[in-house]
Amino acid sequence: MTTVHMTDPGGSSLTLLQFKGFNFPTFDPVALENLETFEFRDDDVLISAFPKAGTHWLWEIARMLVAGNAELPVLEKDDFMIEFNPSKEYFNSMPSPRILNTHVLYRHLPGLHNRKCKIIYVTRDPRDVAVSFYNHHRKLTSYYHYDGTWDNYFELFINGNVDYGCCLDHMRDWEDVIAAHPELNILVTSYEDLQENPVKEITRLAEFLGKSYEPSFIETVRAKCSFDSMRDRKGNMDATSYGEAIMYRKGKSGDWRNWFNDDQAKRMDEKFREKMDGSQLNVRYSFTTQSRSE
């Protein structure tokens, strides 16, 4: 396990932890070592996504749907994040069903094999992921120590030199897992679908979780898990020294157009075609060069 520094073209470095050839945030090494022996239960619900694709959002929705209660106590998602929390005893003491979350790949979680867990995988336009991840890396100085500009950061992101690697590789890897393991109970949703039709998607999630609710409860969950509501309830859990919420920035799709220049948009289009050719995964991506001008 080695600390590595991914240096952008401007000389700013992103501090990461390399474990078995894969880059992670500088989490507790014990938590990373525990990945291989993590004991899943058949009734676990696992939210999986590349960072900034909507993990917090889906985790809150799933909690409420499983509990049948939209007035749950405010909890920190990271306490239920497999690669973040190093305490096996903490996870083992959780009552079932556990609502867990992770950003790692299937290969990092051998304990999933032959289990009947319900897995929800979330996709998001990689351009919006890039912008959100940039702000995340800039604000979480205690982990990343990164102070680079957007234009220089883009080079790190598009080349996969960030924690958890390339966003497109992450999505394609999970798509390959779905194809190779039809026995796994996996539902795919997208950040954009949840934004555009939250009631429909939350209803679909409830059905996947084996729940049936009146429309009024689905609407309550939608309202309780709206971006503004979650920021009001949970934004202070992870905040900068000047009080700005780290995990809740804008929560909107298409903000990448305010950041990408024409060349960056073109290169991302090319990368998407290269990596996602033939993909059947639900990734909302429109090829366009509409972006800010230099």
Side-chain angles (χ1 to χ4, degrees), residues 210-274:
K211 304 293 183 179
S212 178
Y213 294 116
E214 294 295 325
S216 58
F217 179 71
I218 297 295
E219 172 57 29
T220 299
V221 172
R222 182 210 64 77
K224 201 75 174 180
C225 293
S226 70
F227 181 83
D228 289 343
S229 177
M230 287 181 59
R231 182 171 55 188
D232 289 345
R233 288 185 293 117
K234 303 187 67 175
N236 63 346
M237 285 187 162
D238 290 291
T240 64
S241 58
Y242 46 90
E244 182 182 1
I246 293 174
M247 300 300 173
Y248 302 92
R249 191 180 65 90
K250 284 190 175 181
K252 295 182 179 180
S253 299
D255 184 48
W256 67 269
R257 291 183 176 86
N258 297 315
W259 295 76
F260 277 58
N261 61 41
D262 289 341
D263 179 66
Q264 290 164 350
K266 180 181 178 181
R267 289 173 61 195
M268 186 60 78
D269 281 353
E270 292 170 350
K271 182 70 72 171
F272 191 90
R273 288 189 175 97
E274 171 196 341

Side-chain angles (χ1 to χ4, degrees), residues 53-69:
T55 315
H56 277 80
W57 195 7
L58 265 293
W59 185 74
E60 288 291 349
I61 291 172
R63 285 181 68 212
M64 294 179 187
L65 292 177
V66 169
N69 183 358

Side-chain angles (χ1 to χ4, degrees), residues 66-229:
V66 169
N69 183 358
E71 300 300 331
L72 298 176
V74 175
L75 298 177
E76 174 53 73
K77 183 216 70 143
D78 289 351
D79 289 341
F80 298 79
M81 185 179 185
I82 295 171
E83 67 267 31
F84 177 81
N85 193 324
S87 174
K88 284 187 176 183
E89 293 75 18
Y90 179 79
F91 283 112
N92 291 337
S93 67
M94 287 181 185
S96 293
R98 300 178 299 186
I99 316 299
L100 307 172
N101 65 89
T102 188
H103 298 310
V104 304
L105 301 176
Y106 178 76
R107 71 180 74 125
H108 297 132
L109 301 172
L112 275 177
H113 189 61
N114 291 328
R115 285 297 184 183
K116 299 176 182 178
C117 316
K118 287 185 166 68
I119 303 169
I120 300 171
Y121 187 74
V122 193
T123 69
R124 190 182 187 187
D125 187 323
R127 295 164 295 197
D128 281 325
V129 169
V131 170
S132 186
F133 216 10
Y134 168 65
N135 285 279
H136 176 90
H137 283 136
R138 288 269 301 182
K139 292 175 182 177
L140 270 177
T141 54
S142 60
Y143 284 100
Y144 299 109
H145 311 288
Y146 184 70
D147 62 358
T149 66
W150 158 252
D151 287 338
N152 287 325
Y153 175 83
F154 175 82
E155 301 302 324
L156 294 179
F157 183 85
I158 198 168
N159 290 305
N161 292 326
V162 294
D163 33 334
Y164 302 100
C166 172
C167 175
L168 298 174
D169 285 344
H170 193 282
M171 292 191 289
R172 199 60 191 259
D173 194 272
W174 270 98
E175 181 176 14
D176 291 345
V177 167
I178 292 169
H181 297 279
E183 74 279 6
L184 292 175
N185 201 3
I186 303 179
L187 177 106
V188 179
T189 187
S190 77
Y191 191 98
E192 293 80 12
D193 284 348
L194 273 164
Q195 274 203 330
E196 292 177 12
N197 201 334
V199 169
K200 178 182 177 182
E201 283 302 293
I202 293 171
T203 301
R204 192 167 75 95
L205 289 164
E207 292 171 354
F208 174 72
L209 295 170
K211 304 293 183 179
S212 178
Y213 294 116
E214 294 295 325
S216 58
F217 179 71
I218 297 295
E219 172 57 29
T220 299
V221 172
R222 182 210 64 77
K224 201 75 174 180
C225 293
S226 70
F227 181 83
D228 289 343
S229 177

Side-chain angles (χ1 to χ4, degrees), residues 30-58:
V30 173
L32 302 184
E33 291 169 351
N34 287 345
L35 289 174
E36 292 189 357
T37 56
F38 191 90
E39 296 181 4
F40 287 94
R41 303 172 189 166
D42 285 339
D43 60 355
D44 284 339
V45 176
L46 177 65
I47 313 299
S48 175
F50 192 80
K52 315 314 293 182
T55 315
H56 277 80
W57 195 7
L58 265 293

